[in-house]
Amino acid sequence: MQVNTTRGFLWSDVETRTLLNIWGEQDIQAALDGNFRNSFVYRDVSRRLGATGFERTPEQCRVRIKSLKRQYLLAKEGNLRNNGQYHKICKFYDTMERILSNRPALDPQEFIDSVAGGEEAGGEEAGEGLEEEDAEDAQDAYSESTGECPYPAETEVKLEYPTIPIPIPVKVTVGINSTSVRPHNSSQLASNLSARIPKRQKKRRTNFPMEKLMEQFLEQSVHAEDNFYRMEEQRLQAEDTRRETEHTRELHMLQMLGQMFSSISSTRAGSAAEPPKTAPPARAPVFSSASPSCKQGQSGHFKRPSAQTDCCAPKSQLLNPDPQAIVFERYYSSGSTSHRGMDEDFLSLVKSIVPPLTSKKHKGQDGRIGIIGGCQDYTGAPYFAAISALKAGADLSHVFCTKDAASVIKSFSPELIVHPVLDSPNAVEEIDKWLPRLHALVVGPGLGREVALLKTAKEVIEKSKTRDIPIIIDADGLWLVTQQPSVIHGYHKGILTPNFMEFTRLYEALHHEPMDISDRQRSVTQLSVAMGNITMVLKGEQDLITDGGKVITCSVEGSGRRCGGQGDVLSGSLGVFAHWAHAASAAGVGRSANPSMVAAFGACSLTRQCNNQAFQRHGRSTTTTDMIQEIGSAFKKLFES
């Protein structure tokens, strides 16, 4: 059993009565009478108590007996003064009365003299002085002999913890003769004790109502939250201002470089020998078609205007070219490519196809996009594609999915129109009813690879081709194209958006040989030509866009974060841009460029900008949902600034 070293702590009634019975034995009382050094007595008491099954140290036994004697004396004094009304203070009053009444009374005056004499003796005769327990037992002996309580009545009674011991009167020496000052009675001793011990001042506590404290706390919380949002808004505004400043500075630098290059070109043209007598009229530059078998590092380049043409062209045309009849130049120098000018040119074209927002338009005029995909295992991809189309500017988004995926996709957003018909027996007829209302079709996000679903998707693509609407194929739709390339072969409004793995699978299926990964531009051009010059978007560190005759690179800064669903954001927004680009081309805007390539460049730029902005806010924890939240600000920064 572990010994409890706490002074007088947790004594049960049974244990206390056992202690009193041992302490009240005649030999113990005889050893205690008149003996100041009584530690050996309490060691014997502790040993006897341990024999009964209660393990207590001698110090614990002594403290407990001392506490019981104090309670007994207080109760006895209360009985004498108040006719026995305070005997309940001591639970073991009767036992203590029986034990202490048998002890011989000790003259208080002699007891005090013996104590004072012991102090005067000093040295080796008095030994080492009284121990702490000897002095306290001396007090107890004095109290027992007089029958008076050494403490004032108003003193607080602590039953378990020892209080401050009563100081023994000391001798006051004046000159040669010395006399001892002794208290004559207990009241004088109590008054001396109270005069020596300073009273502790009580702490004043102000009682505040809990409701008031909670109200103050809530007000401070609201104030702190308002300050946080205000500072966050200021930070975002400062960030937008910084981006606009950097963009303006870059544009200014580009204009200065253009002017410098124009002056250099004019100087070289003036120094050319025998210039033509008649200057030919300025002609609109055309794209040069690159052969699929062009050498490495030279595939998909544009024809560079000659110095003669530059010399004859007006200076205003050189500095401010027409965005709809612009020359897209691509050249290579030591294996590197210049993309900034090309990005700016295509961004101008994308801006020209974005329809303005006017109050005269009706719902659905800016785009009704259909998404073919969504099964039990994949419900997020069709949602990402459809909501991205809405965020990019489409008016309506339709999702044609299986029945078990419909309720899940509907729960994501109430803005989507969900049709649970993809796995029904008459799925093609159900979808065909909606095709006349759609402006573009996105096939593949969350489609899955079940044979029945792929067959339905193939028939829907065939019917969409007859209606001459843009078709974007991604994800599992590319698996269908890999198995049956003829489903989209040669369709001029078709756009494929493979990642590297999907592109490698499709390339090897058509060419029956491994792809040369060292020259991706050549490979993407060859695959586009093999697919009938269909527009191809190879996603990667820099997105490569080609229609088999030319290759452009979207180098808008993105981030290193890759998470599932980014391709669905691209395919959904690409459906909107494809509708805008072909509608603008039909209206005579931007006919000099392939509308599908313009749409692909716009969607790639938007997706990469969203990824960059979301990464700046969330870092490594960026998800596709974070990117979708950035579509509005990214679109405004790229195409409306």
Side-chain angles (χ1 to χ4, degrees):
M1 177 182 294
Q2 185 177 1
V3 178
N4 189 355
T5 59
T6 307
R7 293 167 61 90
F9 183 65
L10 294 179
W11 284 78
S12 63
D13 292 348
V14 177
E15 193 173 4
T16 302
R17 293 187 184 279
T18 305
L19 175 65
L20 290 176
N21 292 335
I22 296 174
W23 180 70
E25 293 178 0
Q26 186 175 1
D27 58 337
I28 297 295
Q29 292 296 316
L32 289 174
D33 288 339
N35 194 342
F36 293 145
R37 297 185 179 274
N38 51 20
S39 58
F40 70 94
V41 180
Y42 284 102
R43 283 196 293 270
D44 188 23
V45 173
S46 174
R47 181 182 57 78
R48 297 185 186 184
L49 185 65
T52 61
F54 300 105
E55 295 292 336
R56 293 287 179 172
T57 63
E59 176 67 14
Q60 291 175 336
C61 296
R62 188 188 68 79
V63 171
R64 183 59 174 164
I65 292 296
K66 177 181 175 181
S67 176
L68 292 172
K69 286 194 293 184
R70 287 174 184 163
Q71 298 175 26
Y72 165 74
L73 292 176
L74 289 174
K76 185 174 183 180
E77 183 179 2
N79 288 335
L80 295 175
R81 295 182 181 179
N82 300 283
N83 298 326
Q85 296 298 323
Y86 293 91
H87 65 279
K88 294 183 180 180
I89 295 178
C90 183
K91 183 186 296 187
F92 306 98
Y93 181 84
D94 297 335
T95 306
M96 296 292 295
E97 177 69 19
R98 174 178 55 80
I99 297 173
L100 295 179
S101 61
N102 296 329
R103 294 186 62 176
L106 184 64
D107 186 19
Q109 191 68 28
E110 294 178 0
F111 175 75
I112 296 175
D113 290 338
S114 64
V115 174
E119 287 183 350
E120 293 174 357
E124 296 181 358
E125 291 81 8
E128 303 272 333
L130 291 177
E131 298 177 350
E132 179 184 358
E133 64 270 17
D134 299 334
E136 292 173 350
D137 287 335
Q139 292 178 358
D140 295 338
Y142 170 73
S143 300
E144 293 169 6
S145 61
T146 57
E148 295 182 0
C149 179
Y151 296 96
E154 62 273 9
T155 303
E156 181 180 0
V157 179
K158 293 185 179 180
L159 302 181
E160 298 296 333
Y161 297 93
T163 59
I164 301 174
I166 301 175
I168 300 175
V170 297
K171 172 184 175 183
V172 179
T173 304
V174 180
I176 300 175
N177 298 326
S178 61
T179 59
S180 298
V181 180
R182 304 180 181 87
H184 297 286
N185 50 35
S186 61
S187 61
Q188 182 179 359
L189 184 63
S191 62
N192 293 336
L193 178 64
S194 61
R196 293 182 182 181
I197 302 176
K199 294 184 178 180
R200 297 181 61 183
Q201 297 181 356
K202 295 184 178 180
K203 295 182 179 180
R204 297 182 179 180
R205 302 180 182 271
T206 305
N207 296 327
F208 291 101
M210 183 59 67
E211 293 79 2
K212 186 175 181 180
L213 292 176
M214 289 300 297
E215 183 179 356
Q216 293 178 357
F217 173 74
L218 293 177
E219 290 178 356
Q220 294 176 358
S221 300
V222 172
H223 183 66
E225 187 175 1
D226 293 340
N227 290 337
F228 171 76
Y229 284 121
R230 190 180 303 108
M231 295 177 61
E232 185 70 12
E233 184 177 359
Q234 293 176 358
R235 186 187 67 81
L236 294 178
Q237 291 177 356
E239 184 71 16
D240 293 339
T241 304
R242 184 187 64 81
R243 292 178 183 174
E244 293 294 336
T245 304
E246 291 181 356
H247 184 65
T248 304
R249 186 175 66 252
E250 291 177 358
L251 291 179
H252 181 65
M253 294 296 296
L254 289 175
Q255 292 176 359
M256 294 178 61
L257 289 174
Q259 294 177 2
M260 182 177 64
F261 290 151
S262 298
S263 61
I264 294 174
S265 178
S266 300
T267 303
R268 290 181 179 178
S271 62
E274 295 182 2
K277 297 180 180 179
T278 305
R283 56 187 176 86
V286 295
F287 298 106
S288 62
S289 60
S291 173
S293 61
C294 57
K295 296 182 180 180
Q296 179 178 354
Q298 298 178 350
S299 63
H301 64 281
F302 298 111
K303 187 174 182 180
R304 187 186 185 94
S306 63
Q308 179 181 359
T309 305
D310 293 341
C311 176
C312 299
K315 185 176 181 180
S316 60
Q317 181 178 355
L318 292 174
L319 296 179
N320 300 309
D322 183 7
Q324 279 118 26
I326 196 166
V327 177
F328 302 113
E329 180 181 9
R330 183 180 185 84
Y331 65 94
Y332 296 87
S333 175
S334 301
S336 63
T337 308
S338 176
H339 305 299
R340 181 174 295 277
M342 186 182 301
D343 288 355
E344 294 294 334
D345 296 337
F346 263 93
L347 282 177
S348 300
L349 283 177
V350 176
K351 290 180 181 180
S352 66
I353 68 171
V354 175
L357 297 176
T358 63
S359 59
K360 297 181 180 180
K361 291 184 178 180
H362 57 79
K363 180 178 64 177
Q365 189 172 349
D366 281 344
R368 297 184 293 270
I369 311 301
I371 311 295
I372 305 297
C375 60
Q376 183 178 6
D377 296 332
Y378 306 105
T379 56
Y383 162 73
F384 288 146
I387 200 67
S388 298
L390 285 179
K391 292 280 188 178
D395 293 340
L396 297 172
S397 285
H398 296 260
V399 179
F400 300 91
C401 61
T402 61
K403 294 181 180 179
D404 47 8
S407 58
V408 180
I409 299 175
K410 286 181 180 179
S411 66
F412 291 153
S413 174
E415 288 133 351
L416 306 181
I417 305 174
V418 183
H419 307 272
V421 298
L422 194 57
D423 55 348
S424 61
N426 56 341
V428 179
E429 289 77 7
E430 292 292 335
I431 299 175
D432 187 48
K433 296 177 183 178
W434 292 91
L435 290 181
R437 308 182 187 181
L438 301 180
H439 293 127
L441 194 68
V442 181
V443 181
L447 179 63
R449 298 183 181 179
E450 293 186 10
V451 178
L453 298 181
L454 294 177
K455 181 180 179 182
T456 300
K458 176 185 176 181
E459 295 180 8
V460 172
I461 292 174
E462 295 292 346
K463 290 186 176 293
S464 300
K465 289 163 57 178
T466 60
R467 298 185 180 276
D468 196 35
I469 62 176
I471 303 175
I472 293 87
I473 301 181
D474 184 38
D476 292 327
L478 294 172
W479 176 265
L480 172 63
V481 175
T482 303
Q483 305 299 321
Q484 304 179 40
S486 60
V487 69
I488 198 68
H489 184 276
Y491 184 57
H492 70 287
K493 290 188 178 181
I495 305 175
L496 305 183
T497 60
N499 57 26
F500 180 76
M501 295 301 298
E502 295 166 341
F503 179 84
T504 303
R505 188 186 303 118
L506 185 58
Y507 182 92
E508 295 177 354
L510 268 69
H511 291 83
H512 305 287
E513 62 179 4
M515 184 187 70
D516 183 10
I517 61 175
S518 62
D519 189 1
R520 296 188 180 184
Q521 294 180 358
R522 179 184 179 186
S523 299
V524 72
T525 304
Q526 291 177 347
L527 183 58
S528 177
V529 172
M531 291 294 297
N533 292 90
I534 192 173
T535 301
M536 189 83 60
V537 179
L538 175 56
K539 298 176 287 188
E541 182 180 1
Q542 291 181 340
D543 298 334
L544 301 180
I545 306 170
T546 183
D547 59 356
K550 49 191 172 292
V551 177
I552 61 174
T553 302
C554 179
S555 57
V556 176
E557 184 180 1
S559 75
R561 172 61 173 158
R562 296 291 182 270
C563 57
Q566 296 186 33
D568 303 315
V569 175
L570 172 64
S571 61
S573 57
L574 181 52
V576 184
F577 280 101
H579 163 58
W580 291 347
H582 285 282
S585 178
V589 179
R591 289 185 177 180
S592 59
N594 185 347
S596 296
M597 292 189 65
V598 175
F601 185 86
C604 290
S605 301
L606 180 63
T607 304
R608 296 173 73 89
Q609 182 67 27
C610 292
N611 182 264
N612 180 268
Q613 293 182 191
F615 185 78
Q616 290 182 5
R617 292 178 180 270
H618 304 282
R620 188 176 293 273
S621 63
T622 302
T623 60
T624 304
T625 304
D626 302 325
M627 291 177 55
I628 293 174
Q629 299 299 323
E630 302 292 334
I631 290 179
S633 60
F635 190 98
K636 182 178 180 180
K637 179 178 178 64
L638 291 173
F639 310 124
E640 295 180 348
S641 60

